[in-house]
């Protein structure tokens, strides 16, 4: 009888029983730091997915997920201490910062001072490439250089006559953001579109996220009235994407893709799409979002990528770190990283290349740029990965 009771206890604690702990403690831990759902939902969901796959450290699993403050510019020390605190766990072997906001470099510097054996990986760094690369072992960012040209190319393909970028000084102080702005302007000139820059409030300023979103809601109708419906709009902030999409769908206009492309970026909230039943199923998500966009009048005028780049990057970097520790991948080998992306995004093609500094021409292989083809709802893929970007855009200087 005692043997039966003991066997039942073991089974109840195994992964096959809901609510049970992992049968054995994970051999090492991976820390993931992301922003909250309100600032960057996709990175948060990516971390959730990895917790679901590999288990939470509190239950004997592999993943420790923490969130950084929404108001990260004013609470930078909190961000730094939270990330650095992950190194206090002696089993931590990898730290992934899903969206490397300002302060991440200092946080990882403190991590390395405590434990230089921890592999530090960052996604979408908001600090300059050479700054974050001084401490991060590998970083991945959206290829804003190539996409700068491709966004204008796509806008023209959809019939746009004007291209409006909406941003604020903090974002324009980042090198890749500033370079992309210069590329937007030059590409508009070359491809025959009118270029416009509109300034919006920064969500981490005193107005907060709600104030920054309200500004977009109020301004979009007048912008469309001013520039016309054949205008493509682009904003550099995730939180402002939802109100932008809502108003573009309501008043007309064109929207190629979010700054960090994803069918979850802005569309569900903007169009009232319930995706609870489709959670984690990207083809099903795309199908439902596409139906909603078409019903809202956005057919052939609104787009994104089939998989969230932010979500995929958190998953891929976490998987990459795990495989490096297990000696199934090599740190710094982009082919191994692409295999991790492919494992979470079946059917999607990714293009990756190392970052080259504009002023010196020095290639930074610790900092990789990545992009995925754009899908226009009701139209299909634009096959932008086949477009040859003119060489001059790779060397275009900030203005």
């Amino acid at each position: 009888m005692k043997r039966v009771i003991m066997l039942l206890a073991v089974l109840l604690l195994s992964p096959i029983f809901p609510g049970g702990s992992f049968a054995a403690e994970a051999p090492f831990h991976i820390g993931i730091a992301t922003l909250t759902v309100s600032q960057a939902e996709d990175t948060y969901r990516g971390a959730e997915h990895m917790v679901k796959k590999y288990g939470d450290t509190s239950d004997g699993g592999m993943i420790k997920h923490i969130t950084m403050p929404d108001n990260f510019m004013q609470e930078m020390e909190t961000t730094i201490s939270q990330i650095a605190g992950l190194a206090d766990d002696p089993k931590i072997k990898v730290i992934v910062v899903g969206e490397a906001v300002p302060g991440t470099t200092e946080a990882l510097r403190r991590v390395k001072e405590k434990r230089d054996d921890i592999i530090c990986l960052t996604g979408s760094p908001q600090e300059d490439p050479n700054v974050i690369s001084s401490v991060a072992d590998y970083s991945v960012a959206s290829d804003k250089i190539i996409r700068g040209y491709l966004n204008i190319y796509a806008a023209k393909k959809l019939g746009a006559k004007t291209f409006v970028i909406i941003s604020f000084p903090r974002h324009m102080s980042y090198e890749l953001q500033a370079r992309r702005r210069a590329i937007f302007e030059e590409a508009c000139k070359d491809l025959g579109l009118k270029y416009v820059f509109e300034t919006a409030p920064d969500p981490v300023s005193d107005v907060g996220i709600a104030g920054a979103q309200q500004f977009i809601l109020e301004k979009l109708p007048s912008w469309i009235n001013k520039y016309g419906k054949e205008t493509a709009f682009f904003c550099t902030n995730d939180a402002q994407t939802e109100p932008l999409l809502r108003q573009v769908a309501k008043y007309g206009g064109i929207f190629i893709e979010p700054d960090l492309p994803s069918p979850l970026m802005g569309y569900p909230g903007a169009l009232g799409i319930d995706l609870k039943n489709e959670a984690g199923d990207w083809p099903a998500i795309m199908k439902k979002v596409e139906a909603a966009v078409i019903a809202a009048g956005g057919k052939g005028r609104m787009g994104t990528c089939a998989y969230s780049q932010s979500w995929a990057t958190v998953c891929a970097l976490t998987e990459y770190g795990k495989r490096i520790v297990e000696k199934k991948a090599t740190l710094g080998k982009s082919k191994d990283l692409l295999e991790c992306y492919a494992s979470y995004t079946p059917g999607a093609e990714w293009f990756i290349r190392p970052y080259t500094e504009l002023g010196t021409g020095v290639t930074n292989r610790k900092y990789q740029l990545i992009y995925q083809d754009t899908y226009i709802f009701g139209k299909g893929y634009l096959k932008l990965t086949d477009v040859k970007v003119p060489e001059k855009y790779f060397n275009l200087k900030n203005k």
Side-chain angles (χ1 to χ4, degrees):
M1 183 66 176
K2 287 183 179 179
R3 291 180 64 187
V4 172
I5 293 173
M6 289 176 65
L7 178 60
L8 181 59
V10 170
L11 288 172
L12 285 170
L13 289 172
S14 72
I16 63 173
F17 284 85
S21 301
F22 275 61
E25 286 282 332
F28 60 89
H29 294 163
I30 298 175
I32 305 177
T34 70
L35 292 172
T36 65
V37 170
S38 63
Q39 270 281 29
E41 180 173 357
D42 287 7
T43 54
Y44 184 92
R45 300 303 181 197
E48 275 191 335
H49 185 76
M50 300 315 286
V51 169
K52 184 177 180 181
K53 181 172 183 178
Y54 290 120
D56 194 301
T57 55
S58 62
D59 292 324
M62 183 175 288
I63 309 298
K64 170 67 174 177
H65 178 209
I66 63 168
T67 57
M68 299 173 285
D70 278 349
N71 199 9
F72 52 83
M73 291 302 290
Q74 279 69 39
E75 299 180 50
M76 192 176 295
E77 189 55 44
T78 301
T79 297
I80 292 169
S81 62
Q82 285 178 327
I83 298 172
L86 290 168
D88 293 335
D89 177 355
K91 293 183 71 174
I92 285 282
K93 295 294 184 183
V94 179
I95 290 177
V96 174
V97 185
E99 185 164 347
V101 299
T104 299
T105 296
E106 177 57 28
L108 297 184
R109 182 172 286 113
R110 295 184 190 183
V111 167
K112 291 293 189 179
E113 286 173 354
K114 292 180 184 179
R115 299 262 313 279
D116 63 2
D117 62 305
I118 293 177
I119 299 166
C120 296
L121 309 173
T122 71
S124 305
Q126 294 185 15
E127 296 168 299
D128 285 344
N130 290 334
V131 173
I132 192 71
S133 294
S134 68
V135 288
D137 294 293
Y138 215 56
S139 297
V140 181
S142 175
D143 196 332
K144 299 183 189 302
I145 309 304
I146 287 180
R147 280 198 176 278
Y149 178 83
L150 293 179
N151 267 265
I152 308 304
Y153 179 95
K156 182 177 182 179
K157 194 169 185 178
L158 296 186
K161 294 180 173 59
T162 303
F163 185 87
V164 176
I165 173 176
I166 306 163
S167 192
F168 37 82
R170 177 173 62 87
H171 272 188
M172 289 300 99
S173 72
Y174 304 152
E175 183 184 352
L176 288 179
Q177 293 273 25
R179 284 181 66 180
R180 180 177 61 184
R181 176 184 176 176
I183 290 168
F184 279 156
E185 188 170 0
E186 187 71 12
C188 281
K189 189 187 304 180
D190 290 346
L191 297 176
L193 279 73
K194 179 181 179 181
Y195 167 83
V196 178
F197 183 90
E198 292 284 359
T199 301
D202 189 334
V204 302
S205 68
D206 292 342
V207 303
I209 294 173
Q213 290 176 326
Q214 186 62 34
F215 177 86
I216 300 296
L217 286 171
E218 293 175 359
K219 292 295 289 186
L220 232 293
S222 64
W223 285 339
I224 290 176
N225 184 58
K226 180 179 181 180
Y227 302 120
K229 292 188 176 181
E230 299 312 312
T231 298
F233 292 90
F234 180 90
C235 69
T236 64
N237 180 256
D238 295 348
Q240 292 172 329
T241 301
E242 181 180 313
L244 178 61
L245 285 169
R246 182 178 302 167
Q247 300 299 66
V248 166
K250 183 176 181 179
Y251 293 98
I254 296 169
F255 184 89
I256 305 300
E257 63 189 9
D259 182 49
L260 294 174
S262 162
L264 296 182
M265 182 58 71
Y267 281 106
L271 302 179
I273 310 168
D274 184 355
L275 295 170
K276 287 196 294 288
N277 294 334
E278 291 77 19
D281 185 341
W282 291 100
I285 289 171
M286 280 291 285
K287 183 178 180 179
K288 197 164 187 177
V289 172
E290 183 163 39
V293 169
I294 292 172
K299 181 179 181 180
R301 298 174 68 83
M302 302 175 77
T304 189
C305 285
Y307 292 89
S308 161
Q309 180 168 313
S310 300
W311 179 91
T313 293
V314 169
C315 296
L317 286 177
T318 304
E319 185 70 32
Y320 187 48
K322 176 177 179 289
R323 293 183 186 183
I324 291 168
V325 174
E326 296 171 341
K327 301 191 183 306
K328 297 176 182 177
T330 301
L331 179 62
K333 191 174 181 179
S334 60
K335 181 175 179 292
D336 289 349
L337 177 60
L338 280 179
E339 288 176 0
C340 294
Y341 271 98
S343 68
Y344 290 93
T345 58
E349 291 188 9
W350 297 85
F351 179 84
I352 193 168
R353 67 185 181 94
Y355 167 77
T356 298
E357 189 175 29
L358 182 61
T360 64
V362 174
T363 296
N364 180 356
R365 297 195 177 278
K366 291 174 66 177
Y367 195 103
Q368 298 287 321
L369 302 176
I370 195 164
Y371 75 95
Q372 181 190 168
D373 193 14
T374 299
Y375 184 94
I376 300 298
F377 296 112
K379 184 179 181 71
Y381 286 103
L382 293 182
K383 300 188 183 300
L384 297 181
T385 49
D386 296 337
V387 176
K388 183 172 176 57
V389 178
E391 190 65 29
K392 77 170 188 175
Y393 289 98
F394 295 98
N395 303 307
L396 197 65
K397 294 182 179 180
N398 305 340
K399 293 187 177 181

